[in-house]
C-alpha cells in the first residue's frame, strides 16, 4: 500500500493544475462546475462501490479505481473544452469512489489479521505521510519543469506514475476471510451503526474538515498568485503544505478526540477568515497552519470510524461517509463559485470560515448539553 500511495501521489501535474486549466480556457466557475460533477459522480457511486468492495473484494475495487484515475489523465491531455474536462472529472470520480473505503478497509483488516489493529492509526498516518512526501517531491519537480517546459509534460509524467500504480495494484493480496460472516445487504440491519451518535459526530466533523479543505486545495495556487507570489515558488509552497499535513498525520493523538477536534475546527474556521482579510505574503503561513490541522484530524477520524464499523460493511460505511461529504461539497461549491465571482477568493474563503465556526459551535453546544 505504501508503494501504491506513493505512485498515485507522485503527480507533478498537481502543482500546476489550476494554471494548466486556466491556460486552456477554464475559469474559476468552470473549475467549480468540474468539482460539482466530480462530487455528483461520487454521490452516485460511493455506496455501490462500497458494496462492491464488501462483496467481491478490496483488491478488485482498488484496481478499478486506479485504472479509472489513469484514464482521467489520458482525457485531460486532450482537453480543450469544458465538456472534456467534465468527462475527465467523471472518470476521476469513478476512480475515487472505487478506492474510497476499500483502501482503509484492506489496511484495517490486514492489520487485524496480523493482530496489530492497535497500530492502525499510526500506520494510516504513516501511509498518508508517505503520500504527502511523494506529492511534495513531485511539486518540486513540477515547479522546476514549469520554468522550462510546456505544462503538458507534467501530465505525461503523472500518467506514467498512475500506469505503474495500476500494475502494482495487481500484486495486492487480501486477508483470509474464512469464518467471517458473508455480506448480505438485503438482510443487514443498518441501524446497528448508522444512527449511533459517534457515527453522526464523525460525519459532521469529517464533512467540516474535508469539504472545506477541498476548495483550499483546489485554489491555493490562484490565491497565492493574487498575493504577488511567483509560480517559481509554487513547488516550495506545496512542499510546505504537504509537510505540514504530514507532520499533522504523525503527531500524537488523544484517546478521546471529540473535544480536541471541535477546538481545532474552531481554530480551522478562524484560519479561513484570516486568509480572507490578510493581504500579505505571510498568509502562506496561515495556509500551512490549516493543512497542519487537517493532517492531524485525518487519521483520528479514520481510526474512530473504522472502530465502530463491522467487517461486513466496513467499505460501505466509509463510502457512505464519503458520499455525504460529496453532497455537502456540491452545496458549498455552488455558493463558493458565486461568491468568488462577486467577492473574489477572499470572500469565498471568508464564507467557508463562517461555516466551520458555526459547525464547531453547534457541536460544542450539543456536547455540553449531553
Amino acid at each position: 500500500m505504501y508503494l501504491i500511495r506513493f505512485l498515485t501521489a507522485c503527480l507533478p501535474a498537481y502543482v500546476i493544475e489550476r494554471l494548466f486549466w486556466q491556460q486552456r480556457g477554464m475559469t474559476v466557475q468552470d473549475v467549480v462546475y468540474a468539482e460539482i460533477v466530480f462530487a455528483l459522480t461520487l454521490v452516485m457511486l460511493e455506496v455501490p462501490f462500497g458494496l462492491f468492495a464488501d462483496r467481491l473484494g478490496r483488491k478488485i475495487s482498488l484496481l478499478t479505481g486506479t485504472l479509472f484515475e489513469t484514464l482521467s489523465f489520458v482525457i485531460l491531455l486532450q482537453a480543450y473544452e469544458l465538456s472534456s474536462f467534465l468527462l475527465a472529472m467523471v472518470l476521476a470520480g469513478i476512480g475515487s469512489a472505487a478506492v474510497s473505503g476499500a483502501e482503509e478497509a484492506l489496511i484495517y483488516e490486514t492489520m487485524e489479521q496480523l493482530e496489530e489493529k492497535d497500530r492502525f492509526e499510526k500506520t494510516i498516518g504513516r501511509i498518508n505521510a508517505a503520500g504527502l512526501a511523494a506529492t511534495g517531491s513531485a511539486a518540486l519537480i513540477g515547479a522546476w519543469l514549469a520554468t522550462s517546459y510546456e505544462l503538458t509534460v507534467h501530465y505525461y509524467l503523472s500518467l506514467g506514475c498512475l500506469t505503474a500504480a495500476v500494475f502494482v495494484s495487481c500484486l495486492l493480496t487480501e486477508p483470509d476471510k474464512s469464518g467471517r460472516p458473508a455480506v448480505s445487504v438485503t438482510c443487514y440491519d443498518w441501524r446497528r451503526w448508522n444512527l449511533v451518535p459517534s457515527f453522526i459526530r464523525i460525519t459532521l466533523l469529517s464533512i467540516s474538515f474535508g469539504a472545506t479543505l477541498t476548495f483550499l486545495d483546489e485554489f491555493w495556487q490562484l490565491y497565492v498568485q493574487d498575493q504577488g507570489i511567483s509560480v517559481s515558488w509554487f513547488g516550495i509552497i506545496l512542499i510546505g503544505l504537504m509537510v505540514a499535513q504530514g507532520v499533522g498525520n504523525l503527531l500524537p493523538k488523544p484517546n478521546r478526540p471529540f473535544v480536541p477536534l471541535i477546538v481545532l475546527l474552531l481554530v480551522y474556521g478562524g484560519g479561513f477568515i484570516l486568509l480572507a482579510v490578510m493581504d500579505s505574503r505571510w498568509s502562506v503561513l496561515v495556509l500551512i497552519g490549516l493543512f497542519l490541522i487537517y493532517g492531524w484530524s485525518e487519521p483520528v477520524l479514520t481510526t474512530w470510524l473504522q472502530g465502530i464499523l463491522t467487517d461486513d460493511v466496513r467499505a460501505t460505511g466509509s463510502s457512505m461517509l464519503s458520499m455525504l461529504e460529496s453532497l455537502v461539497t456540491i452545496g458549498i461549491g455552488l455558493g463558493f463559485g458565486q461568491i468568488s465571482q462577486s467577492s473574489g477568493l477572499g470572500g469565498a474563503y471568508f464564507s467557508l470560515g463562517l461555516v466551520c465556526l458555526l459547525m464547531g459551535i453547534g457541536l460544542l453546544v450539543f456536547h455540553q448539553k449531553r
Side-chain angles (χ1 to χ4, degrees):
M1 290 306 302
Y2 280 98
L3 181 56
I4 293 175
R5 179 66 70 87
F6 182 88
L7 289 171
T8 55
C10 190
L11 307 178
Y14 283 162
V15 74
I16 49 84
E17 185 178 27
R18 290 288 76 83
L19 300 181
F20 177 80
W21 285 44
Q22 191 177 60
Q23 188 181 82
R24 296 200 172 189
M26 298 298 105
T27 65
V28 169
Q29 187 66 54
D30 290 333
V31 176
V32 171
Y33 289 146
E35 286 297 325
I36 291 173
V37 168
F38 178 80
L40 283 173
T41 305
L42 290 178
V43 167
M44 292 186 291
L45 297 179
E46 282 277 14
V47 174
F49 267 115
L51 296 171
F52 175 83
D54 281 327
R55 293 178 69 94
L56 301 180
R58 322 302 192 198
K59 175 180 176 179
I60 185 64
S61 188
L62 287 169
L63 179 59
T64 301
T66 308
L67 179 60
F68 272 93
E69 180 72 18
T70 304
L71 292 175
S72 73
F73 271 74
V74 174
I75 298 298
L76 284 172
L77 278 165
Q78 309 301 322
Y80 287 92
E81 298 179 354
L82 178 59
S83 58
S84 298
F85 282 94
L86 295 183
L87 174 58
M89 290 301 99
V90 170
L91 294 175
I94 295 173
S96 182
V99 171
S100 176
E103 180 184 42
E104 294 168 359
L106 178 60
I107 297 170
Y108 188 89
E109 291 167 3
T110 300
M111 298 192 70
E112 186 178 40
Q113 181 172 287
L114 296 173
E115 299 182 351
E116 295 183 351
K117 187 173 64 174
D118 292 342
R119 297 180 60 245
F120 172 75
E121 187 177 278
K122 290 183 179 179
T123 301
I124 201 72
R126 288 170 181 171
I127 290 176
N128 289 339
L132 293 169
T135 302
S137 300
L140 272 182
I141 296 171
W144 173 74
L145 289 173
T147 62
S148 306
Y149 297 92
E150 295 290 331
L151 300 184
T152 52
V153 172
H154 299 69
Y155 279 80
Y156 280 114
L157 290 175
S158 300
L159 180 60
C161 289
L162 287 171
T163 303
V166 171
F167 287 105
V168 175
S169 297
C170 296
L171 304 177
L172 288 172
T173 57
E174 297 198 49
D176 182 17
K177 291 190 176 182
S178 59
R180 296 187 180 184
V183 178
S184 178
V185 176
T186 56
C187 299
Y188 185 77
D189 183 7
W190 296 96
R191 290 172 298 177
R192 283 195 295 172
W193 59 269
N194 68 351
L195 296 179
V196 173
S198 292
F199 184 78
I200 296 174
R201 293 178 195 143
I202 294 168
T203 300
L204 293 175
L205 286 166
S206 296
I207 287 172
S208 299
F209 284 110
T212 51
L213 189 89
T214 295
F215 297 95
L216 190 65
D217 192 36
E218 289 293 332
F219 296 108
W220 70 264
Q221 299 163 22
L222 298 182
Y223 176 82
V224 299
Q225 191 175 51
D226 289 343
Q227 305 303 312
I229 298 175
S230 168
V231 67
S232 62
W233 286 94
F234 280 19
I236 294 174
I237 293 172
L238 182 55
I239 286 177
L241 300 179
M242 296 301 98
V243 167
Q245 190 173 340
V247 169
N249 272 264
L250 299 175
L251 286 174
K253 310 298 190 294
N255 293 326
R256 297 182 178 181
F258 185 54
V259 173
L261 281 168
I262 293 177
V263 173
L264 280 181
L265 180 59
L266 293 173
V267 176
Y268 187 72
F272 274 97
I273 292 176
L274 274 178
L275 285 181
V277 300
M278 289 183 72
D279 187 17
S280 166
R281 296 183 179 184
W282 291 104
S283 59
V284 172
L285 296 179
V286 179
L287 277 173
I288 291 173
L290 291 173
F291 274 81
L292 176 67
I293 292 172
Y294 177 78
W296 187 91
S297 71
E298 194 176 14
V300 174
L301 288 166
T302 300
T303 304
W304 192 1
L305 176 65
Q306 295 299 318
I308 70 169
L309 295 175
T310 54
D311 288 349
D312 49 347
V313 291
R314 195 173 302 284
T316 306
S318 297
S319 295
M320 185 172 289
L321 177 58
S322 296
M323 180 195 70
L324 293 171
E325 185 176 316
S326 298
L327 279 171
V328 174
T329 300
I330 293 171
I332 292 177
L334 290 172
F336 188 92
Q338 291 298 321
I339 294 171
S340 67
Q341 290 293 318
S342 58
S343 305
L345 282 176
Y349 283 147
F350 187 88
S351 66
L352 291 184
L354 287 180
V355 169
C356 292
L357 288 175
L358 290 173
M359 180 63 73
I361 292 170
L363 286 169
L364 191 59
V365 170
F366 172 78
H367 177 71
Q368 289 178 341
K369 286 184 176 181
R370 290 184 70 251

